[in-house]
Amino acid sequence: MKQRVVITGLGIVSPNGVGLPNFLAAIRQGRSGISHFPELADLNFSCQIGAKPVISEAQKRHYFTELELRNFNSDGILYGVMAGMDAMKDAGLRPAEKDEEPLWDLGVVFGTGTSGVDKFREAIYKLDEGKVRRLGSTTVVQTMASGVSAYLAGKIGAGNKVTTNSSACATGTEAVIMGYEHIAAGKAKQMLCGSCSDASPYVWGGFDAMKVTTFKYNDMPQQGSRPMSATASGFVPGGGAGAIVLESLESAEARGAKIYGEVLSGHVNNGGQRQGGSMTAPNSVAVQRCIRRAIEAAGVSASDIDYINGHLTATSKDPVEIENWCEALGREGDNFPYVNSLKSMIGHGLAASGSMEIVATVLQMHHNFVFPATNCDDVHPEIAQRIGAESIPKQLIETPVKTVVKASFGFGDVNACIIFRKI
């Protein structure tokens, strides 16, 4: 019998708030975590603003030992471990002690796009200088793609499936769907899911070269990320991590866990880079199909959707995304649900974006509010033609949101859509 799956824990390491209380306050206030980086100017970047979590040395030592931090230089793994451990604590789940058996019913799906880029750079320089023996014993685990899930599994003693997925900007949403499917199939009781991304010039540089990041707001960083705006000019690069503990309803109820909401369904597909889709642009037919399939599997109707947390990157594709939502839901004008984008506050977290945005989505559902769509006073005219002005909240709205949808669309024409509902 298919298991019902609920959310019992959340963790977040975001540019505008590290930890749930800080992050919740930030999104309610519409507070930005985007700033100017002189380093990017020195490196001749066109876009000289970005979004990076602020973490003190003292904070690191709550999650890593002094020995673990020796020669440690992988921000993405740091963010992922912090968010993951916080989600475990929020869920009331105790890691296994070193002399105990692994937690056989607990698994990990934690994704990333690139891992340990700064560590790679450090290793390349040492190798070029012939100092291979000075690389250290942790270079491999800090740079291998599955480094973050391996670190987390060791921290908590996970004994079920432990893996890392990678699907560009759809990574985090896909990871949660993978965890949901594993529990629904009865293969685990709990899954720690999420994703992370380094916040580094060595990750951001390629996007700057592609000219998809904004260069018009270097002197006004907090106004730079403008999803759905007529004056949007490209995305602001960022990084961080989001983590979600999924659990079978039966397990959660048996241990009296706090329940944020239920995962009703999820769907992942690919546009095959056909019908107008490409490595960097979506196939709209596939996007609409992904949304519809997720809703159908959830057993709800499009009219039940109260709120959409969009992918909405502040690029020329935002009007296309809104059009796809209208077509997939069969809703437009004043009948369109509330919609916003966390990227207005924290930029585009790349592989981490889906998981950070899921944390924001679940918090809004749990606490009955919709955060403001900052930097969107001048709605793009093509978007304004399709949906009503009230659908894009300019200020915080206190309102029940029972059924919500989150979607992510990534390079490679990959799409992921997930439906949550308040119990």
Side-chain angles (χ1 to χ4, degrees):
M1 184 177 71
K2 184 178 179 181
Q3 297 291 309
R4 291 176 65 184
V5 181
V6 296
I7 303 161
T8 56
L10 299 173
I12 185 77
V13 176
S14 167
N16 70 340
V18 175
L20 279 183
N22 291 331
F23 181 68
L24 176 59
I27 62 174
R28 286 182 62 89
Q29 296 164 15
R31 189 168 69 230
S32 176
I34 298 171
S35 59
H36 181 263
F37 286 81
E39 178 185 9
L40 299 180
D42 295 340
L43 292 170
N44 296 319
F45 275 55
S46 296
C47 177
Q48 297 164 10
I49 61 176
K52 181 175 183 176
V54 178
I55 299 169
S56 69
E57 291 299 315
Q59 283 176 300
K60 294 179 184 179
R61 282 157 178 78
H62 288 301
Y63 304 86
F64 290 86
T65 66
E66 291 291 342
L67 181 60
E68 288 172 328
L69 287 172
R70 189 180 301 168
N71 297 319
F72 186 88
N73 190 20
S74 296
D75 281 350
I77 291 176
L78 171 69
Y79 304 151
V81 168
M82 291 178 64
M85 296 301 290
D86 283 357
M88 287 284 291
K89 183 177 180 180
D90 187 46
L93 293 174
R94 180 182 67 84
E97 298 294 338
K98 290 295 183 181
D99 59 349
E100 295 178 334
E101 286 196 25
L103 302 173
W104 302 118
D105 291 319
L106 172 66
V108 179
V109 181
F110 219 93
T112 189
T114 54
S115 184
V117 173
D118 286 349
K119 190 66 178 179
F120 259 125
R121 179 177 180 271
E122 177 187 307
I124 289 168
Y125 273 101
K126 286 182 178 179
L127 286 175
D128 286 347
E129 295 168 1
K131 298 176 181 178
V132 64
R133 294 180 182 176
R134 294 186 60 186
L135 289 181
S137 60
T138 63
T139 296
V140 171
V141 294
Q142 289 186 60
T143 57
M144 66 186 190
S146 57
V148 63
S149 59
Y151 266 93
L152 279 167
K155 289 284 183 184
I156 64 181
N160 205 279
K161 179 178 182 176
V162 173
T163 190
T164 291
N165 67 308
S166 187
S167 295
C169 312
T171 297
T173 303
E174 181 188 68
V176 176
I177 293 171
M178 291 171 67
Y180 157 75
E181 291 174 342
H182 200 61
I183 295 173
K187 296 179 180 180
K189 291 182 180 178
Q190 295 124 1
M191 294 293 292
L192 174 60
C193 305
S195 62
C196 61
S197 182
D198 293 326
S200 165
Y202 303 102
V203 176
W204 300 345
F207 298 103
D208 200 77
M210 290 175 67
K211 299 181 180 180
V212 294
T213 53
T214 182
F215 62 88
K216 295 184 177 180
Y217 296 91
N218 289 335
D219 57 346
M220 299 177 289
Q222 296 189 359
Q223 297 178 36
S225 186
R226 310 180 66 81
M228 296 186 286
S229 166
T231 47
S233 56
F235 73 77
V236 176
I244 302 94
V245 172
L246 301 181
E247 187 165 358
S248 71
L249 177 61
E250 182 181 16
S251 172
E253 289 181 336
R255 65 185 191 88
K258 169 182 59 184
I259 295 176
Y260 285 99
E262 183 174 4
V263 183
L264 294 184
S265 74
H267 190 74
V268 177
N269 74 1
N270 199 289
Q273 299 175 44
R274 301 293 191 273
Q275 298 174 296
S278 68
M279 182 66 75
T280 58
N283 173 346
S284 290
V285 175
V287 169
Q288 294 171 31
R289 181 184 179 92
C290 184
I291 296 167
R292 290 193 187 105
R293 286 293 178 90
I295 291 172
E296 289 168 7
V300 298
S301 68
S303 62
D304 293 323
I305 303 299
D306 299 312
Y307 162 71
I308 297 167
N309 188 279
H311 187 60
L312 297 167
T313 56
T315 65
S316 61
K317 297 302 180 183
D318 285 5
V320 176
E321 180 177 335
I322 293 298
E323 181 179 353
N324 285 332
W325 283 110
C326 289
E327 295 299 322
L329 299 179
R331 298 174 63 179
E332 58 183 309
D334 294 336
N335 187 39
F336 197 78
Y338 290 118
V339 61
N340 59 22
S341 173
L342 183 64
K343 293 179 182 73
S344 64
M345 301 181 221
I346 67 169
H348 193 337
L350 307 175
S353 61
S355 59
M356 291 193 290
E357 291 161 8
I358 284 174
V359 172
T361 299
V362 172
L363 286 173
Q364 290 173 96
M365 178 178 69
H366 183 66
H367 292 286
N368 297 311
F369 73 96
V370 179
F371 65 71
T374 57
N375 298 326
C376 193
D377 290 327
D378 57 337
V379 177
H380 193 288
E382 293 178 28
I383 293 175
Q385 288 176 4
R386 292 304 304 262
I387 65 176
E390 296 301 315
S391 296
I392 305 174
K394 306 302 189 298
Q395 305 292 331
L396 173 74
I397 296 176
E398 305 277 6
T399 183
V401 279
K402 183 178 180 181
T403 306
V404 302
V405 56
K406 166 67 201 154
S408 299
F409 312 116
F411 277 16
D413 209 2
V414 62
N415 310 301
C417 183
I418 191 165
I419 314 293
F420 304 103
R421 175 169 266 186
K422 184 179 297 183
I423 292 182

